[in-house]
Amino acid sequence: SGEIPQTSFIQGKSSGASGYAVSDPSGGAVLNINQTSGTFINGEQISVSGIDIPLTVKETQVFSIV
């Protein structure tokens, strides 16, 4: 990710959902997170490795391997 380093711990400020940043294929508009716990809420702010940043969740997509 351009602004968020890979492996950074991401946490939703409202939901408490969390995971680790793994890639940013769009150069800033999309952040992929894996090893997630909980569900991120659209519109909530996030913290990166414990630091509040001025970014919010716009949309979430969940992918799983069955």
Side-chain angles (χ1 to χ4, degrees):
S1 164
E3 292 184 29
I4 300 174
Q6 289 190 20
T7 72
S8 294
F9 182 72
I10 309 299
Q11 186 166 35
K13 300 285 290 173
S14 300
S15 67
S18 61
Y20 294 89
V22 291
S23 65
D24 181 355
S26 67
V30 174
L31 176 65
N32 292 329
I33 301 171
N34 73 358
Q35 299 179 26
T36 58
S37 175
T39 304
F40 289 91
I41 300 169
N42 292 350
E44 77 176 315
Q45 291 187 316
I46 61 171
S47 67
V48 177
S49 297
I51 300 169
D52 292 345
I53 59 169
L55 296 176
T56 58
V57 175
K58 179 178 179 185
E59 177 183 353
T60 58
Q61 293 181 336
V62 177
F63 300 94
S64 61
I65 299 173
V66 179

